[in-house]
Amino acid sequence: MNQITEILDALESGDQQAATDLLPLVYDELRRLAAAKLHRQRHDHTLQATALVHEAWMRLVGDVEGNAQKWNSRGHFFGAAAEAMRRILIDHARASSADKRGGGRHAIQLESWNHPAASEPEKLLMLDEALGRLEEQDAVKAELVKLRFFAGLTIREAAAALDLSTASCERYWAYARAWLKAELED
């Protein structure tokens, strides 16, 4: 874990080799997080966990020279990874809802007809808008939702990333879920 922090510091200072050294150390965990994210998406999602990790990786360290990222901890790095994955999924949902991709029309497959797991990109977009409103009111609770929902972190992992106690994190999670549920029902 200390090795990751050292590599993140080197990456921040512009060391090109640091990105190469970092990937093997965090790839498996990023892949696990991406798989957890995509498991919650509709079953016919065209984005695969590997592609999500690679796209997030490029957003995180792809342009080290031009945009030096600053991560002060392992938790901060994985928080940034969660945010990158969230943005990729939102962009993907927007693209799949675009008029040139059929707009509001969806292909219906008989095995998924009326199936509760066949979620729609519109729901993800509504969640993103509600999450933006929550972020305006309470950035910590919004970050917690991103870490739990989009990165798949446990309460304990999210509490460590946000530097909160587990009990506080559980209270914040309960509040954020209730707040988002009320927002999405309106």
Side-chain angles (χ1 to χ4, degrees):
M1 191 175 314
N2 195 17
Q3 185 180 12
I4 292 174
T5 305
E6 291 172 9
I7 293 173
L8 290 173
D9 290 341
L11 187 62
E12 179 183 329
S13 65
D15 182 1
Q16 291 289 335
Q17 183 61 33
T20 305
D21 296 340
L22 180 62
L23 184 58
L25 297 174
V26 298
Y27 184 82
D28 288 339
E29 192 162 354
L30 288 175
R31 178 87 168 71
R32 182 183 61 80
L33 294 174
K37 278 288 115 253
L38 290 171
H39 180 70
R40 294 186 193 133
Q41 299 295 318
R42 65 186 194 277
H43 73 284
D44 63 339
H45 204 289
T46 58
L47 202 57
Q48 299 295 318
T50 303
L52 182 57
V53 169
H54 289 206
E55 180 68 25
W57 180 257
M58 291 308 297
R59 290 186 184 197
L60 289 170
V61 297
D63 188 17
V64 176
E65 287 180 13
N67 299 316
Q69 299 290 331
K70 297 185 181 191
W71 297 294
N72 37 357
S73 69
R74 180 180 183 273
H76 188 213
F77 173 78
F78 283 103
E83 178 66 17
M85 288 181 193
R86 178 182 77 87
R87 289 176 188 261
I88 291 164
L89 289 171
I90 296 300
D91 291 346
H92 192 269
R94 284 188 179 125
S96 67
S97 296
D99 286 338
K100 69 180 182 179
R101 300 219 176 9
R105 295 180 302 268
H106 299 285
I108 297 174
Q109 298 183 8
L110 294 178
E111 61 270 7
S112 68
W113 183 255
N114 289 329
H115 192 276
S119 62
E120 300 163 7
E122 293 81 23
K123 290 181 182 177
L124 187 59
L125 294 174
M126 288 173 38
L127 173 63
D128 183 56
E129 291 172 10
L131 192 55
R133 291 189 297 273
L134 177 61
E135 192 166 29
E136 290 173 6
Q137 289 185 357
D138 193 326
V140 174
K141 288 180 180 81
E143 185 64 23
L144 174 63
V145 171
K146 292 174 191 175
L147 290 172
R148 294 273 295 139
F149 186 78
F150 290 99
L153 297 183
T154 65
I155 287 285
R156 185 172 302 211
E157 292 168 333
L162 294 172
D163 198 26
L164 295 171
S165 71
T166 304
S168 292
C169 200
E170 287 172 348
R171 283 192 309 273
Y172 288 3
W173 179 239
Y175 175 87
R177 283 191 346 240
W179 190 93
L180 287 170
K181 184 175 189 267
E183 281 290 306
L184 292 173
E185 288 177 350
D186 283 346

